[in-house]
Amino acid sequence: MELLASNVCFGGEHRRYRHRSEVLDCDMEFAVFLPPAAIAGQPKPVPALYWLSGLTCTDQNFMQKAGAQRRAAELGLAIVCPDTSPRGVNLPGEDDSYDFGSGAGFYINATREPWSRHYHMYDYVVSELPELLERELPLTGKRSISGHSMGGHGALICALKNPGRYQSVSAFAPIANPTNCPWGRKAFSGYLGDDEETWKEWDATLLIPEAKERLPLLVDQGTADDFLEQQLAPEALADACEKAHHHIDLRMHRGYDHSYFFIASFIDDHLNHHARALGLSRSA
């Protein structure tokens, strides 16, 4: 891991790193916030929240805009922010649109050429990156996962497909039923091909009925979100949860949109949700 930058923040440290990813076959950058306990003279290993960002984002959006570090420092919780796709792999069309290719990896494993050579973001965030960080940094190996929009979709499927790997899961305005919305259908057809049966394993709403672990879902959604009607479908996720008796706390917030103003308004609730599941004593 090559350290690119570091900033002291609320007694902890925000760091940006670069490393060579084997599963993505390219260099990747990511960010980590380590709370004070993890950088003390005798560092104490801490649990980590993995945050998956949305379309067009990098690791920097959440760290600079969400205001999560203060509460994470109080709780003794690390935050890990990967990028949202491979970068600079020179695939045809990778930079042509905001919702496919660069910045839009959708946290799945592509099977269609040429994307299958690099676009294995699911394997990256579930396995490769945590294994690297738990080896190199003072992390306990206890994990939670959250995200926004495309990253909310990613957080949900990572938790649903990996029972026992995460202690808790939450999402802000997730793409909850991607097989049935324009963003998801474009991405899945491009990365996975035209057989829609293969898409189902990457759709949280369709994974809920057969989930082998039923972690409570905390989902926040703004009612003034421009993407709510056509892209996000929280009601489909809630209906699936009701039928499967899978607990979901879907909170609709009047007047809030899809921006980081929305995330910053409720991020402490999510950090507290994860802290409780991770056994952190200062959780509210």
Side-chain angles (χ1 to χ4, degrees):
M1 301 194 324
E2 175 192 358
L3 181 64
L4 301 177
S6 66
N7 306 91
V8 175
C9 185
F10 293 103
E13 191 172 353
H14 167 263
R15 301 176 182 174
R16 296 194 71 238
Y17 289 99
R18 179 187 294 122
H19 78 118
R20 181 72 182 181
S21 167
E22 297 299 324
V23 300
L24 304 179
D25 192 23
C26 67
D27 289 343
M28 292 292 287
E29 296 179 359
F30 62 89
V32 180
F33 172 73
L34 293 173
I39 64 168
Q42 295 183 326
K44 176 184 175 183
V46 296
L49 172 65
Y50 285 78
W51 173 271
L52 307 184
S53 293
L55 291 167
T56 75
C57 289
T58 68
D59 63 280
Q60 299 186 71
N61 298 74
F62 178 83
M63 287 299 198
Q64 294 180 5
K65 296 180 180 181
Q69 292 93 341
R70 178 190 59 80
R71 186 61 179 143
E74 294 171 350
L75 292 167
L77 177 64
I79 302 175
V80 177
C81 290
D83 204 345
T84 52
S85 77
R87 300 282 177 173
V89 292
N90 299 318
L91 297 181
E94 69 179 356
D95 298 318
D96 287 355
S97 59
Y98 78 95
D99 55 358
F100 186 80
S102 294
F106 264 82
Y107 305 102
I108 66 175
N109 288 338
T111 56
R112 189 177 194 177
E113 289 288 347
W115 309 99
S116 58
R117 290 178 239 162
H118 299 282
Y119 276 65
H120 289 199
M121 286 299 294
Y122 174 80
D123 284 349
Y124 179 69
V125 301
V126 170
S127 300
E128 186 182 33
L129 186 59
E131 289 170 7
L132 172 68
L133 298 185
E134 288 164 18
R135 185 171 66 245
E136 299 292 336
L137 296 177
L139 302 180
T140 63
K142 293 181 70 174
R143 313 169 201 93
S144 292
I145 192 163
S146 186
H148 172 232
S149 194
M150 178 185 71
H153 142 77
L156 293 172
I157 64 168
C158 287
L160 289 167
K161 290 166 69 69
N162 293 277
R165 188 159 186 83
Y166 303 99
Q167 300 300 306
S168 53
V169 58
S170 71
F172 286 84
I175 305 172
N177 190 195
T179 60
N180 198 34
C181 76
W183 276 342
R185 294 185 65 82
K186 178 178 179 178
F188 287 4
S189 61
Y191 295 137
L192 304 173
D194 297 328
D195 181 1
E196 296 189 18
E197 284 298 310
T198 66
W199 301 2
K200 293 181 179 180
E201 66 172 304
W202 305 108
D203 186 314
T205 294
L206 302 182
L207 290 172
I208 286 289
E210 305 301 324
K212 292 182 171 59
E213 180 181 51
R214 300 209 173 274
L215 294 176
L217 307 184
L218 173 60
V219 178
D220 280 343
Q221 174 65 59
T223 63
D225 190 322
D226 289 340
F227 305 112
L228 176 58
E229 183 175 344
Q230 292 190 345
Q231 304 284 8
L232 304 179
E235 71 286 347
L237 179 66
D239 288 346
C241 287
E242 182 177 0
K243 291 174 183 176
H245 305 290
H246 191 128
H247 179 78
I248 183 171
D249 185 5
L250 173 60
R251 310 192 307 180
M252 302 298 295
H253 299 281
R254 183 175 178 82
Y256 284 88
D257 58 19
H258 201 69
S259 71
Y260 270 86
F261 294 108
F262 166 52
I263 295 171
S265 298
F266 301 103
I267 190 62
D268 281 7
D269 290 350
H270 286 243
L271 296 175
N272 291 336
H273 166 78
H274 296 297
R276 286 190 292 270
L278 292 163
L280 296 173
S281 60
R282 294 184 183 180
S283 58

